[in-house]
């Protein structure tokens, strides 16, 4: 498989027939490649029995996309992803991640749990530096929501993506693609679309999120009717936010899935054949991807970011000033403590006496 990262998560074990093929001695490289291609073709099921969370999409060229709708905090979603990849032996696996979130593929569950719960000043500064003041603070608030769910469930997000990464590594010649729009673009467009009052209301709601969440609630998110009802409620509350965070990313994910579903060229011949693709996305994106699948899409329009407003620039400078002020105050308090600790020492008292005594 063509990928640059290694997953350490072992939450779903390989099936009994998932052993790596053995090669006869003396095979050349080209012969070994042909054997691997044949092994994958034999493992690929023509009519796979897939979970109910899988939607099948096709292209005019005959390529097939198996779209797995998942809940981001769900063990059964990981099983759905593993089952689908093992059954269809894809040419490409596309996940709802961007380069800014790819680190979750390399972390184990324990490290991710710790990271999700540990929101400190360094993370706040990094988010603001990467996304701007308003977008950075909104990202921190959303991380707080994720940390709340993590704490409630004792489960780190993104398990289905790590499962997809691991399973794709077992499929010969399978490529692994990051299919989501870069998160800084999403946050900046989302904040720009909200009025000042809407930003305040959203921040207030995220700051005081405390409703208990159970694993049963998470599994309900895999039901399309419940999810569409939730989305409808959010549209009524913040329609601009839904457009930038959900609808625009539906378009971007559709674009990357269609790009992945182009013809593939077998290593054993120059004749191109239709591709088999597995897409792993949150269930909330599945209806939008289905609606956009056969449409002409304008990707450049949803990738543009307006320059920061005057209010945003002023707020950024105020925030920087406050940080430097806190730093200066901390240094002042620390220096007073050091002086109080050193003052009783004879050497220091002698130094002060010399300073006070005028030269004769």
């Amino acid at each position: 498989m063509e990928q640059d990262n290694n997953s350490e998560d072992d939450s779903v074990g390989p099936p009994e027939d998932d052993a790596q093929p053995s090669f006869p001695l003396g095979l050349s490289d080209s012969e070994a490649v042909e054997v691997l291609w044949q092994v994958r073709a034999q493992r690929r099921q023509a009519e796979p029995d897939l979970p109910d969370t899988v939607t099948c999409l096709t292209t005019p060229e005959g390529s097939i996309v198996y779209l797995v709708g998942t809940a981001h905090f769900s063990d059964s979603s990981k099983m759905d992803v593993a089952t689908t990849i093992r059954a269809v032996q894809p040419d490409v696996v596309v996940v709802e991640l961007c380069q800014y979130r790819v680190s979750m593929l390399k972390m184990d569950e324990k490290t991710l749990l710790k990271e999700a719960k540990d929101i400190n000043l360094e993370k706040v500064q990094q988010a603001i530096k990467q996304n701007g003041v308003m977008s950075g603070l909104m990202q921190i608030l959303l991380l707080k929501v994720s940390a709340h769910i993590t704490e409630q469930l004792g489960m780190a997000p993104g398990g289905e993506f790590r499962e997809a990464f691991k399973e794709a590594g077992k499929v010969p010649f399978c490529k692994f693609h990051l299919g989501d729009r870069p998160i800084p673009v999403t946050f900046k467009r989302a904040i720009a679309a909200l009025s000042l009052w809407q930003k305040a209301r959203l921040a207030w709601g995220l700051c005081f999120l405390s409703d208990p969440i159970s694993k049963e609630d998470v599994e309900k998110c895999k039901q399309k009717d419940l999810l569409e009802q939730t989305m409808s409620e959010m549209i009524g509350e913040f329609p601009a936010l839904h457009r930038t965070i959900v609808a625009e990313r539906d378009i971007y994910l559709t674009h990357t899935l269609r790009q992945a579903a182009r013809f593939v060229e077998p290593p054993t011949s120059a004749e191109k054949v239709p591709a088999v693709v597995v897409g792993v996305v949150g269930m909330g994106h599945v209806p939008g991807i289905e609606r956009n699948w056969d449409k002409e899409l304008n990707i450049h329009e949803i990738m543009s970011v307006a320059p920061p407003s005057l209010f945003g620039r002023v707020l950024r400078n105020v925030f920087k000033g406050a940080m430097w002020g806190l730093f200066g105050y901390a240094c002042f308090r620390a220096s007073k403590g050091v002086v109080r600790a050193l003052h009783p020492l004879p050497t220091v008292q002698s130094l002060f006496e010399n300073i006070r005594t005028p030269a004769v």
Side-chain angles (χ1 to χ4, degrees):
M1 188 192 72
E2 299 178 16
Q3 57 186 19
D4 299 321
N5 304 288
N6 295 312
S7 175
E8 299 178 14
D9 182 57
D10 296 320
S11 54
V12 179
E16 294 180 359
D17 61 346
D18 200 35
Q20 294 298 322
S22 58
F23 297 96
L25 295 176
L27 283 182
S28 64
D29 289 346
S30 60
E31 290 172 333
V33 165
E34 186 171 357
V35 169
L36 280 173
W37 187 263
Q38 291 173 354
V39 166
R40 192 185 70 168
Q42 292 169 1
R43 289 179 176 176
R44 180 177 286 173
Q45 300 174 18
E47 298 181 0
D49 183 18
L50 299 176
D52 295 335
T53 54
V54 178
T55 301
C56 186
L57 302 170
T58 59
T59 69
E61 297 80 16
S63 296
I64 303 176
V65 175
Y66 296 96
L67 193 61
V68 188
T70 67
H72 294 317
F73 293 82
S74 170
D75 283 329
S76 64
S77 284
K78 292 193 284 187
M79 288 296 298
D80 291 349
V81 169
T83 298
T84 303
I85 293 177
R86 292 169 185 173
V88 306
Q89 297 287 296
D91 300 291
V92 186
V93 171
V94 181
V95 296
E96 184 199 329
L97 287 177
C98 68
Q99 65 266 35
Y100 294 93
R101 292 178 289 157
V102 73
S103 60
M104 72 163 54
L105 295 176
K106 299 183 288 185
M107 295 183 185
D108 57 34
E109 200 82 4
K110 186 176 179 180
T111 304
L112 280 166
L113 278 170
K114 182 181 176 183
E115 287 288 317
K117 294 177 182 178
D118 182 24
I119 300 176
N120 50 36
L121 181 60
E122 183 181 351
K123 286 187 178 180
V124 174
Q125 291 174 329
Q126 183 179 359
I128 290 174
K129 182 178 180 181
Q130 185 181 87
N131 303 306
V133 177
M134 292 301 298
S135 300
L137 293 177
M138 195 60 64
Q139 180 180 354
I140 292 299
L141 289 174
L142 291 174
L143 282 175
K144 180 181 178 295
V145 175
S146 178
H148 171 69
I149 300 174
T150 297
E151 187 174 1
Q152 292 277 318
L153 300 178
M155 180 188 302
E160 74 274 32
F161 303 137
R162 291 188 292 280
E163 199 63 43
F165 185 80
K166 184 181 73 174
E167 290 296 327
K170 301 174 184 177
V171 179
F173 309 107
C174 182
K175 298 179 181 179
F176 190 87
H177 288 183
L178 304 175
D180 203 0
R181 182 172 65 178
I183 197 167
V185 175
T186 296
F187 276 123
K188 288 175 182 177
R189 286 184 61 85
I191 291 300
L194 294 177
S195 67
L196 183 60
W197 173 241
Q198 287 176 323
K199 292 171 187 175
R201 285 175 59 202
L202 179 63
W204 179 268
L206 293 175
C207 278
F208 294 95
L209 178 72
S210 59
D211 294 337
I213 300 170
S214 67
K215 291 188 178 182
E216 289 73 20
D217 293 331
V218 174
E219 292 304 320
K220 287 179 183 177
C221 288
K222 293 167 64 177
Q223 302 173 12
K224 291 185 181 181
D225 52 349
L226 174 68
L227 204 66
E228 288 177 356
Q229 177 184 347
T230 305
M231 289 297 181
S232 299
E233 293 172 358
M234 193 173 75
I235 290 173
E237 193 77 9
F238 301 105
L241 196 65
H242 176 271
R243 183 182 68 252
T244 52
I245 290 182
V246 180
E248 289 183 359
R249 288 172 61 222
D250 290 345
I251 294 172
Y252 194 92
L253 288 165
T254 304
H255 170 74
T256 53
L257 285 166
R258 293 201 313 210
Q259 291 287 101
R262 293 176 172 178
F263 285 117
V264 295
E265 187 173 319
T268 55
S269 70
E271 182 182 354
K272 294 184 178 181
V273 297
V276 174
V277 178
V278 170
V280 182
V281 302
M283 183 58 77
H285 290 292
V286 173
I289 293 172
E290 288 185 276
R291 284 193 298 269
N292 290 309
W293 189 248
D294 296 318
K295 294 181 180 179
E296 291 287 333
L297 304 177
N298 186 348
I299 296 302
H300 298 293
E301 181 181 341
I302 63 171
M303 289 298 292
S304 62
V305 177
S309 64
L310 176 61
F311 175 77
R313 293 197 297 270
V314 170
L315 190 61
R316 182 185 182 90
N317 291 331
V318 169
F319 183 83
K320 281 185 176 180
M323 288 296 102
W324 279 111
L326 286 173
F327 177 74
Y329 179 70
C331 291
F332 171 71
R333 290 296 299 270
S335 64
K336 286 181 66 177
V338 170
V339 170
R340 282 197 300 268
L342 294 178
H343 187 268
L345 298 178
T347 305
V348 176
Q349 289 183 347
S350 175
L351 177 63
F352 283 147
E353 288 297 328
N354 292 334
I355 294 174
R356 291 196 195 100
T357 304
V360 179

